Amino acid sequence: MKIIITGAYAIGTYLARLLSRNREELTIVDDDEERLAKIGSDYDLLTLHGSPSSVKTLKEAGAADADLFIAVTPNENENINSCIIAHALHAKKTVAQVNDAEYLECNVHKMYQELGVDELIYPETLAARDINNGLKMSWVRQRWDVHDGALVMLGIKLRESCEILNQPLRDLCGPDDPYHVVAIKRGDETIIPGGNDVLECFDLAYFMTTRQYIPYIRKIVGKENYVEVKNVMVMGGGVTAVKALQTMPKYMNAKVFEIDPVRCEELNQLLNDNTLVIHGDARDISLLTDEGIKNTQAFVALSGNAEANILACLTAKRMGVRKTVAMVENIDYVNMAESLDIGTIINKKAIAASSIYQLMLDADVMNVTFLMSANADVAEFIPKEGSKVTLRPVKDLGLPQGMTIGGLVRDNVGMLVSGNTQIQAGDSVVVFCHNVNMKKLEKLFN
């Protein structure tokens, strides 16, 4: 597959990391030789120095033969223009990053599709969705729903109170049990577990289950004492914060702290009555105390400074807040934040890259999420009639090492998968994989 990325910035670099694992024919175009030199030394790809909106440059990059053209520079106008040019040069599919939610409105989006921009990616909206998903379940690090919750994946940090520690998974996750453990993150290691593996204290475990058994999962992992989130404090009033607050569930009340008085006035116009705007620094312990942090269930740090967000979340935890969410845009700080037990980590470039990553797949793929914490992919495939996965039971498929099938949805009903399960064409099959070429998986489902 031939892929061209314009913009060797954060999202482009992260995409290069994801796509280079699959050994795609990948070219990065940028007008800065220093950025190109850095990305070219880190990943197996071609680089081209030139303007992303130059017809000559895009012809030289091979846009005429591109299966996927991705424009992710910080300049949305340049991204849209380069996609229109690439489409005119006969690139098969184009994707542009934008910085305004207006582009996502149906009539506007349709207009750009007619001009040749097939997909529009707005990272702030994607990040806001993940923030609110994290707040809805205070005891879960990450939640991923299939078919509106017919199947649910829960990433949970295990503590001493978990009652299923140190027991072989074959005794816990049998064919008749209501959950499967599909992956374990232990320190720096990601494990796709077998029957002999066990769960250990401080593991980040990924459970696949169905909606009705979420309370059961909560009980066995010892999280029943976690209160539901009703009061939220947010540090920083940037675009991501606004999108999260505008889409926050109505039963939640929020206080947003912003140090810029002009921005405070703007926030008062943008946000609803459930949100109180406070002019002040959310790292000020006395201010947090005065504003009721003792009665707050979640603290969300969304300033533009990763270090400040991490420190603010640590402070909130020391003051008794159970659920913390930190926006960490510097990828080098993500592991540090996780080691400090921050909670949910939001990285806009990883979220945006996951959405774009899905577009490179040829099979019927409904959803793809890259789990940054586990360095693994979760994908929802729909097998075609006569595809390899439909020909024999799961135990006889000879699945690649590092891959497991967590569950499937058939006729809108979620079910877990065992070795005897026979997958059918049209099922929505959830696959979890670590260090596996996603393109190889497509061959199982096509």
Side-chain angles (χ1 to χ4, degrees), residues 97-100 121-129 131 238-241 243-244 348:
Q97 177 194 349
V98 295
N99 304 317
D100 193 323
I121 299 293
Y122 184 37
E124 281 72 17
T125 298
L126 299 173
R129 178 199 63 193
I131 290 165
V239 176
T240 303
K243 293 300 173 189
K348 285 186 292 187

Side-chain angles (χ1 to χ4, degrees), residues 48 50-63 85 89:
L48 178 62
S51 169
S53 56
S54 161
V55 175
K56 180 182 177 182
T57 300
L58 297 190
K59 281 184 176 179
E60 189 178 345
I85 295 170
L89 293 172

